[in-house]
Amino acid sequence: MAINLIKKLKNCLYMDYNEVVKNISFSQHEILKNIQNMHNNGKDYACDITYSSGKFYGSFEVKDKDGIKQTIVLNKPKFKFDVAPQFEDVEKIEPYGKIPLDDNSIDSIVVDLPFVISPHNAPSVLNDSNKRSNLIFKRFSSYYPVTDMFKSYSHWINEAYRVLQDSGICVFKTQNTISGSVFYCTEEYSWMEAQRAGFYVLDKFILLAKARLISGKVKNQQHARNFSSVFWVFKKGGKHKTVNYYKFKKGI
């Protein structure tokens, strides 16, 4: 009897493998739901400053590892902003302006900035009738020059920090990018800027893709085609402090 009791107690100490939240997924909706449940007390996200067409939100069917469908519901945030609103209920913000919210006023925010580097008025884009070329630019917005991307990332990370309450979270989606044959570590830069702003890096989720758009202009591949992007979870305050990794170098 005592042995059986010990076995039962041990089983209570370990999570069922199927219940474990994994850091990889082929569904961004699954990732957003997992972040919501794990790090936002199951509450809806309060704000999205890159709302776009609102594809993050709604009701979605996602298959688990056994092929069983489950329904994921992500409600629209209370505050919806974008630099180029597509709906009347989405408020316009300026590319380097302020989020129209008070300091320390919300508990969560979602940010999904562009990662493409390309001139908006490039003749090769404006005059291009080939449906297979410039696919990524045509589908997503872009920055140009590359310094604008890093300036924008830094600006909105700091703005997110300003409007978040203590223990609030920022869900920041991004991916590394290539421009002019140069590989830019956009994911790592976001992490460093978040640390600089005062965030604690709470978690990291990786979105995997089964297929990617391929540029028709590339003839000789110089870099591996990226089939992943990252959802960082940055936390303001709370019990953990920003980790100073340079202190570990002392004494080396």
Side-chain angles (χ1 to χ4, degrees):
M1 183 175 178
I3 294 176
N4 290 334
L5 179 60
I6 292 172
K7 286 182 178 179
K8 288 181 180 179
L9 289 172
K10 283 184 176 180
N11 288 335
C12 291
L13 296 175
Y14 299 98
M15 294 181 64
D16 185 283
Y17 180 79
N18 293 320
E19 296 176 352
V20 173
V21 174
K22 303 170 183 63
N23 75 324
I24 60 171
S25 177
F26 285 98
S27 167
Q28 62 184 1
H29 305 113
E30 181 180 42
I31 289 176
L32 285 166
K33 193 66 177 180
N34 284 338
I35 295 173
Q36 188 180 89
N37 290 336
M38 287 188 67
H39 302 309
N40 200 39
N41 298 315
K43 295 187 296 182
D44 296 337
Y45 295 112
C47 175
D48 189 329
I49 64 167
T50 48
Y51 188 78
S52 186
S53 60
K55 290 185 178 179
F56 277 169
Y57 311 100
S59 180
F60 310 94
E61 283 193 345
V62 178
K63 291 183 180 180
D64 63 16
K65 66 181 184 64
D66 297 317
I68 299 173
K69 291 182 179 180
Q70 60 171 325
T71 300
I72 290 176
V73 177
L74 290 161
N75 295 318
K76 296 177 181 179
K78 179 180 179 181
F79 303 104
K80 303 185 286 292
F81 305 107
D82 203 284
V83 295
Q86 299 184 40
F87 305 102
E88 291 184 358
D89 63 341
V90 179
E91 186 174 346
K92 179 177 173 57
I93 53 176
E94 296 303 318
Y96 298 102
K98 282 185 170 292
I99 301 172
L101 295 172
D102 293 335
D103 297 358
N104 312 306
S105 60
I106 56 174
D107 59 14
S108 56
I109 188 169
V110 177
V111 184
D112 179 16
L113 297 171
F115 57 87
V116 178
I117 303 168
S118 179
H120 290 223
N121 58 350
S124 61
V125 175
L126 296 177
N127 302 324
D128 186 9
S129 59
N130 186 346
K131 293 182 179 180
R132 288 188 55 80
S133 63
N134 297 304
L135 289 173
I136 298 173
F137 173 82
K138 291 173 181 176
R139 182 170 170 181
F140 304 102
S141 185
S142 67
Y143 292 109
Y144 191 82
V146 65
T147 51
D148 281 2
M149 179 177 69
F150 294 113
K151 178 183 175 182
S152 177
Y153 276 45
S154 177
H155 172 79
W156 292 117
I157 286 171
N158 280 277
E159 269 297 283
Y161 188 88
R162 178 184 67 81
V163 300
L164 282 172
Q165 302 165 355
D166 189 53
S167 295
I169 62 164
C170 171
V171 181
F172 194 93
K173 182 186 177 186
T174 187
Q175 73 174 66
N176 291 331
T177 191
I178 297 168
S179 178
S181 299
V182 178
F183 186 94
Y184 292 103
C185 298
T186 320
E187 297 172 8
E188 289 73 19
Y189 177 80
S190 304
W191 162 70
M192 291 191 298
E193 282 300 289
Q195 290 247 128
R196 189 191 299 270
F199 279 112
Y200 167 69
V201 181
L202 179 63
D203 221 333
K204 177 183 179 182
F205 291 76
I206 300 172
L207 175 65
L208 301 176
K210 295 179 180 179
R212 282 292 202 204
L213 297 174
I214 304 297
S215 173
K217 297 185 295 183
V218 176
K219 304 301 180 184
N220 298 308
Q221 187 174 359
Q222 297 176 315
H223 304 273
R225 181 67 176 96
N226 195 350
F227 273 65
S228 66
S229 55
V230 162
F231 282 80
W232 288 110
V233 184
F234 303 138
K235 187 168 186 175
K236 178 178 177 178
K239 65 179 181 180
H240 296 292
K241 296 184 181 297
T242 299
V243 179
N244 179 6
Y245 288 91
Y246 289 104
K247 72 179 182 181
F248 300 123
K249 292 177 64 177
K250 293 181 179 180
I252 295 178

